Amino acid sequence: MASGIRDKVAILGMGCARFGERWQDDAEHLMVEAFQECLADAATDVTQIDAAWLSVGFDAMNIGPSGIPLAMALRLPNIAVTKVENYCASGTEAFRGAVYAVASGACDIALALGVEKLKDTGYGGLPVRSRGTMFDMVGVTGSAPGNFAQVASAYRAKHGVSKEDLKRAMAHVSVKSHANGAKNPKAHLRKPISAEQAINAPMIAEPLGLYDCCGVSDGAACAIVTTPDIARGLGKRALVTVKALALSVSNGWELQGMGWDGSYFHTTRIAARAAYHEAGIKNPRQEISLMEVHDCFSITELVTMEDLGISAEGNAVRDVLDGLFDADGAIPCQIDGGLKCFGHPIGASGLRMIYENYLQLLGRAGERQRSTPPVYGLSHNLGGMPNQNVSAVAIVGLLKN
Amino acid sequence: MSGIVAFGAYVPRLRLQRQAVFAATGWFNPALKTLAKGERAMARWDEDAVTMAVEAARDCLAGVERGDIAKVMLASTSLPFADRQNAGIVKEALNLNDVVGTMDVTGSQRAGTSALIDALEASRVSGPVLCVAAERRRARSGSEAEMINGDAAAAILVGPGEPLARLMASHTMAVDFIDHFHSAGEDFDYAWESRWVREEGYLKLVPAAVQGVLQKAGLKPSDIDRFIMAAPMRGVHEAVAKACGIASEAVADPLEATLGDCGATQPLLLLARALASAKPKERLLVIGFGQGCDALVLEVVRAAPATPDKMGVDRWLSRRKAENNYIKHLFFSGLIDLERGMRAEADQKTALTALYRNRRGVLGLVGSKCAKTGVVQFPRSEISVAQNDRAIGTQEDYPLAERRARIVTHTADSLTYTPEPPDYYGMIEFDGGGRMVTEFADVEATDVDVGKPMRMMFRIKAFDERRGFRKYFWKAVPDYLAPSGQ
């Protein structure tokens, strides 16, 4: 029986670039911006890093293949750099690589950096790309909103929710994230919106309107990890450690098998169970202090509340409208603005989520700092589409002495 | 005895309103006013002669054992490929055996009737021949042809066995009478004066062919119960019938007011329509005109059985949506370029190697069934998707194209590029198992809901404009065979 990752690895430092439409900056600049903050926080030197993991979602119009762009941008001392891509869950995947390397004892100090330069695409939204020769012959090249909007249709059918009620709850999700994003100086979108604005916005993919969709941003985020002992040796006192890292990947059952009704994320349920087990969490609704989930679309966040076991099945609409996940609610969700407003530079997003939980745990989140001291910060990073996806759940918390 | 054993048709759902065409083009060509009545069938952007041929063939083959089919003939003057056999694509979409003849018949509006005559001949030796005709002819904007043409397909299965109708005689004249021509590589027809075409073409060549076929059949003009001829010029069918001594009551409606003239398809489509209501002993005279004339006399042997799983011409005609947007017609026909945005730039290149390997799945919508667990899936895979038994190498072919499906998830995507936004798509689940995510075609917002029944249609998935290729795949449309109210 595997002993799990709990408390074997500590975060030595983290950094995050300002997300947004960084017209003047290349990916290189974004990587350096995140890395500088991270290195200063870690109080270490680039020559101390034993290995690095780089996550990027979209290759072609970004930095190109291999780990070389990271090594070049940071002038890494010819160490191993592994590039990972796992759809929008790539950021957590890079973190996982670095954490596991440290836990194995193969490395003392490892770096995970995610970056995405999306605003060289020429149009809003994600770039259109191939998903392989077979998919391109039989799959639907829909947009990301179109792929995720389908969850809403199935959720309504399953739980008998009216179009209007679901839209109202979805609007609440976005209004809350806009309010949170307004307090975050690094966020892409910093304007509060009203529920009416969200409900009456132009339709992108039925029933998702403009404000049901997250920002598509440039950005980078990174983490330097090590063992708790080394961290203490470097003078760190309050330590944020990794409590759980779970990843679940669709094997085709949702898309090809029978039984999945389209209203939830099968992999998130599996990853969440595994993560709670690894972290020793029995009752997530009681024990999780705050969440950064993959709110690529408002409906995704809403359904994820159930998939993470925070809301009972069919109850997310009520919990959302009750304000349970607002910044001053019992379990704040996207206290930094989320993908919705902090922004979604694909390869960086998973690390950006962990960055916020890390800041909140250390009481360094400034104006948006949660008043109740958090114990566990959960991040949920999802890639692909509802019927075929990669779901990652990472839980971090303060190391008890 | 060899004769017609089954028939079917396909008419696209959109009906371009001729008044809308005139409203847009009448300022330029006021003479079009005389044609600005009624409607014509208009293919959607994702339909061509091949896709419509597949649909007509499926309509024809409902309830028919496909394994016996010896040959597929596809007649058309608007085939998408000049060198990649179009009938071969139809064969793959119908999931027929590889040991089968295929042939494109083209080069004249007479192609449909000529193919049928050949099919009736060949089937005596070869066994069942599927004779399909399909047209999607492009006409220059503001032309008469734009008003007159229609898009449709028809399919006639001929073969041994107790036929619905038997061929009494056929007669063909080849005369290089150029009423219009369409040069290779050109976009449009070039037509000569219509009065000359009527007087010297239709009114002389058709009566000569009719005389020839009646003589061979040993019949008099008055023995003909139905005179089946297209009317690409107003009233030409009636004028010809009169010249042949055929009573006006025997003249079949050429459907110019509701369908338009569908070129090589029209005689076979009108024949399919006649066969649906013809009684035993009725004699049908079918005319195909174009650089000469084909004439066939068929005798009905038995009435066509009632077939709820077939649409036939009339049910397709009643499955209609009026289209008043002339610009949409131009765009769907490639006659106007609208700003499509950068998303439309995505490369649609097909790996022909991969298409060949997966042709049964892609073109035939053949999924698989695990021989061990019975689990059905699409596409086929080495290891079964069944979560409780990951059996390896147990997949057997399982055709899905004829199965009804129901919507599991759906959306209407306004962001992705499609020639007819929003792009409706979602997950569907087939009766009997298997599911897939696919685009929905021919839908209105009210047609799309979880649980709604759908059926598959063979359509163009995307155009590879850079290489002049087109990708075909299957889309879901609202279940046209479902009883109303379902």
Side-chain angles (χ1 to χ4, degrees):
Chain A
M1 185 74 184
S3 59
I5 199 72
R6 181 167 24 151
D7 290 335
K8 289 178 178 166
V9 178
I11 298 175
L12 193 58
M14 288 200 78
C16 184
R18 182 173 56 81
F19 284 9
E21 293 170 327
R22 301 285 301 261
W23 305 119
Q24 299 184 356
D25 299 311
D26 292 325
E28 178 199 2
H29 184 108
L30 302 169
M31 288 191 270
V32 171
E33 186 176 318
F35 183 63
Q36 274 186 304
E37 180 189 347
C38 182
L39 205 58
D41 182 31
T44 183
D45 184 76
V46 67
T47 58
Q48 302 303 305
I49 300 170
D50 297 318
W53 273 259
L54 166 66
S55 56
V56 185
F58 286 78
D59 264 351
M61 33 69 65
N62 199 330
I63 54 170
S66 88
I68 294 171
L70 181 71
M72 287 186 66
L74 306 186
R75 303 298 179 196
L76 296 174
N78 301 110
I79 55 170
V81 181
T82 303
K83 201 184 92 171
V84 295
E85 186 279 320
N86 227 346
Y87 271 137
C88 295
S90 300
T92 305
E93 190 66 281
F95 185 73
R96 189 164 158 269
V99 166
Y100 280 15
V102 167
S104 74
C107 297
D108 283 340
I109 298 180
L111 167 72
L113 187 145
V115 64
E116 206 76 38
K117 179 69 197 171
L118 286 173
K119 297 312 294 180
D120 283 342
T121 304
Y123 52 90
L126 295 177
V128 183
R129 64 170 165 181
S130 165
R131 293 200 183 102
T133 49
M134 185 62 185
F135 183 96
D136 290 351
M137 291 189 290
V138 303
V140 175
T141 316
S143 68
N147 286 327
F148 282 83
Q150 295 172 60
V151 175
S153 67
Y155 187 89
R156 285 204 306 105
K158 183 179 190 180
H159 298 295
V161 182
S162 74
K163 248 182 187 167
E164 293 70 30
D165 285 351
L166 188 58
K167 187 78 182 173
R168 227 157 36 86
M170 283 156 51
H172 189 100
V173 166
S174 298
V175 169
K176 169 265 299 165
S177 292
H178 271 267
N180 294 348
K183 293 182 180 170
N184 185 347
K186 286 186 176 174
H188 180 171
L189 304 170
R190 303 199 58 202
K191 267 194 209 149
I193 59 161
S194 69
E196 289 66 40
Q197 268 177 293
I199 288 167
N200 299 319
M203 197 57 78
I204 303 296
E206 168 69 37
L208 303 179
L210 181 64
Y211 289 109
D212 293 305
C213 306
C214 73
V216 167
S217 328
D218 299 328
C222 67
I224 293 176
V225 294
T226 186
T227 63
D229 285 347
I230 294 173
R232 282 196 200 92
L234 288 167
K236 293 275 175 186
R237 282 196 296 272
L239 284 188
V240 173
T241 52
V242 179
K243 307 294 181 185
L245 264 180
L247 199 90
S248 173
V249 177
S250 292
N251 66 9
W253 172 72
E254 302 99 301
L255 179 66
Q256 294 177 290
M258 300 290 274
W260 182 65
D261 61 22
S263 73
Y264 64 98
F265 294 86
H266 180 56
T267 53
T268 297
R269 294 184 174 189
I270 293 167
R273 265 202 308 273
Y276 296 144
H277 176 76
E278 191 170 38
I281 289 171
K282 300 279 184 293
N283 184 343
R285 190 171 166 120
Q286 301 303 322
E287 296 176 63
I288 297 292
S289 319
L290 74 167
M291 299 178 285
E292 291 292 330
V293 305
H294 201 90
D295 58 329
C296 48
F297 303 98
S298 56
I299 187 65
T300 320
E301 177 172 329
L302 187 139
V303 168
T304 298
M305 296 302 102
E306 297 179 12
D307 294 338
L308 292 176
I310 303 293
S311 292
E313 215 180 309
N315 276 1
V317 169
R318 204 175 61 207
D319 284 349
V320 163
L321 290 171
D322 284 350
L324 191 69
F325 311 117
D326 294 355
D328 57 358
I331 318 168
C333 187
Q334 328 298 62
I335 201 163
D336 63 354
L339 301 176
K340 176 75 198 75
C341 292
F342 202 141
H344 187 21
I346 311 296
S349 283
L351 284 155
R352 185 276 300 161
M353 297 170 179
I354 296 167
Y355 173 76
E356 179 65 15
N357 284 334
Y358 171 78
L359 294 182
Q360 291 280 349
L361 287 162
L362 294 176
R364 286 164 40 185
E367 199 191 343
R368 60 182 191 281
Q369 179 64 46
R370 172 116 174 105
S371 48
T372 323
V375 180
Y376 287 120
L378 177 148
S379 57
H380 158 260
N381 193 196
L382 180 73
M385 40 204 138
N387 59 54
Q388 214 177 357
N389 59 68
V390 178
S391 188
V393 174
I395 299 172
V396 292
L398 289 168
L399 181 64
K400 292 172 194 133
N401 291 314
Chain B
M1 186 159 60
S2 188
I4 294 173
V5 294
F7 56 89
Y10 175 73
V11 180
R13 172 171 166 264
L14 298 177
R15 301 290 189 279
L16 180 62
Q17 301 301 298
R18 294 196 177 104
Q19 187 58 47
V21 179
F22 180 70
T25 58
W27 64 274
F28 184 74
N29 185 357
L32 291 175
K33 190 168 178 50
T34 58
L35 295 169
K37 287 190 273 291
E39 59 189 28
R40 51 154 289 192
M42 166 186 151
R44 196 173 178 255
W45 69 269
D46 58 357
E47 300 187 284
D48 65 13
V50 166
T51 67
M52 292 192 288
V54 170
E55 292 311 319
R58 292 174 64 208
D59 194 43
C60 175
L61 297 177
V64 173
E65 171 52 46
R66 294 184 186 182
D68 300 336
I69 294 172
K71 188 172 187 176
V72 180
M73 300 174 82
L74 174 55
S76 175
T77 61
S78 50
L79 294 168
F81 288 95
D83 188 351
R84 174 197 179 186
Q85 200 174 50
N86 299 278
I89 308 171
V90 174
K91 168 259 166 186
E92 297 290 354
L94 296 174
N95 190 28
L96 302 181
N97 293 330
D98 286 351
V99 182
V100 65
T102 50
M103 181 185 282
D104 290 343
V105 184
T106 185
S108 166
Q109 302 298 301
R110 194 153 56 82
T113 46
S114 296
L116 181 58
I117 290 170
D118 257 36
L120 284 159
E121 286 286 331
S123 67
R124 287 183 196 152
V125 181
S126 68
V129 178
L130 178 64
C131 177
V132 195
E135 292 276 29
R136 183 183 184 174
R137 295 180 298 163
R138 294 205 313 165
R140 195 173 259 125
S141 181
S143 65
E144 287 191 7
E146 182 180 49
M147 288 282 199
I148 292 165
N149 290 355
D151 305 325
I156 309 278
L157 182 67
V158 301
E162 174 74 357
L164 297 167
R166 68 180 183 92
L167 181 71
M168 294 181 75
S170 71
H171 190 76
T172 293
M173 293 166 61
V175 179
D176 191 26
F177 178 86
I178 310 168
D179 57 329
H180 73 277
F181 63 89
H182 191 139
S183 290
E186 293 294 323
D187 285 336
F188 303 111
D189 292 356
Y190 188 89
W192 209 255
E193 184 181 355
S194 59
R195 293 186 53 78
W196 173 70
V197 173
R198 175 189 290 261
E199 301 297 324
E200 291 297 305
Y202 280 101
L203 284 168
K204 288 194 175 159
L205 293 173
V206 183
V210 167
Q211 196 184 9
V213 78
L214 290 179
Q215 201 169 11
K216 283 184 188 169
L219 297 174
K220 306 184 295 292
S222 59
D223 293 330
I224 296 303
D225 298 291
R226 302 200 192 207
F227 177 72
I228 294 166
M229 186 183 127
M233 311 168 79
R234 174 160 316 167
V236 69
H237 58 304
E238 285 160 337
V240 167
K242 196 174 170 189
C244 295
I246 290 165
S248 59
E249 306 81 64
V251 178
D253 179 356
L255 300 177
E256 85 279 20
T258 50
L259 174 69
D261 180 63
C262 306
T265 298
Q266 200 77 354
L268 302 199
L269 184 138
L270 297 177
L271 171 60
R273 183 163 188 258
L275 287 168
S277 63
K279 293 176 189 64
K281 302 288 183 202
E282 276 192 36
R283 277 126 183 195
L284 319 179
L285 171 56
V286 184
I287 302 298
F289 182 81
Q291 294 86 54
C293 185
D294 288 327
L296 299 83
V297 176
L298 296 148
E299 184 180 52
V300 176
V301 177
R302 58 190 174 93
T307 43
D309 51 349
K310 273 180 194 276
M311 290 288 277
V313 177
D314 286 347
R315 286 179 74 192
W316 283 123
L317 280 174
S318 58
R319 176 187 178 267
R320 62 179 280 285
K321 185 196 175 195
E323 182 57 71
N324 280 293
N325 190 338
Y326 178 65
I327 297 290
K328 190 184 271 191
H329 161 68
L330 292 183
F331 187 54
F332 283 7
S333 310
L335 294 172
I336 192 173
D337 202 9
L338 300 177
E339 173 55 53
R340 290 178 287 173
M342 285 189 192
R343 285 174 191 279
E345 292 170 5
D347 195 348
Q348 296 291 350
K349 184 173 184 171
T350 298
L352 298 179
T353 40
L355 175 58
Y356 178 67
R357 288 195 298 272
N358 296 288
R359 66 190 183 281
R360 293 170 71 76
V362 176
L363 298 176
L365 199 66
V366 176
S368 59
K369 186 172 188 171
C370 174
K372 207 170 154 209
T373 63
V375 170
V376 177
Q377 64 173 71
F378 180 87
R380 183 192 186 98
S381 59
E382 296 296 327
I383 302 178
S384 171
V385 73
Q387 300 294 284
N388 55 357
D389 191 342
R390 296 166 165 85
I392 302 173
T394 56
Q395 308 277 303
E396 293 173 350
D397 277 357
Y398 188 82
L400 292 163
E402 303 304 332
R403 300 209 158 247
R404 191 177 63 168
R406 286 183 188 276
I407 295 176
V408 180
T409 68
H410 61 86
T411 189
D413 190 340
S414 299
L415 187 60
T416 194
Y417 173 72
T418 176
E420 192 184 19
D423 194 10
Y424 287 92
Y425 56 87
M427 177 175 278
I428 56 167
E429 191 166 283
F430 294 97
D431 291 355
R435 48 168 57 186
M436 65 189 292
V437 174
T438 192
E439 286 181 284
F440 303 159
D442 299 352
V443 290
E444 304 298 316
T446 49
D447 294 327
V448 178
D449 208 353
V450 173
K452 287 253 190 178
M454 307 292 273
R455 276 186 195 277
M456 305 313 290
M457 273 199 190
F458 190 68
R459 294 289 176 108
I460 295 165
K461 185 174 192 295
F463 292 94
D464 176 0
E465 291 176 353
R466 198 180 303 175
R467 303 165 192 88
F469 194 69
R470 51 189 67 192
K471 296 158 83 165
Y472 293 103
F473 190 54
W474 294 82
K475 300 182 185 178
V477 304
D479 183 8
Y480 44 83
L481 291 173
S484 58
Q486 189 171 355

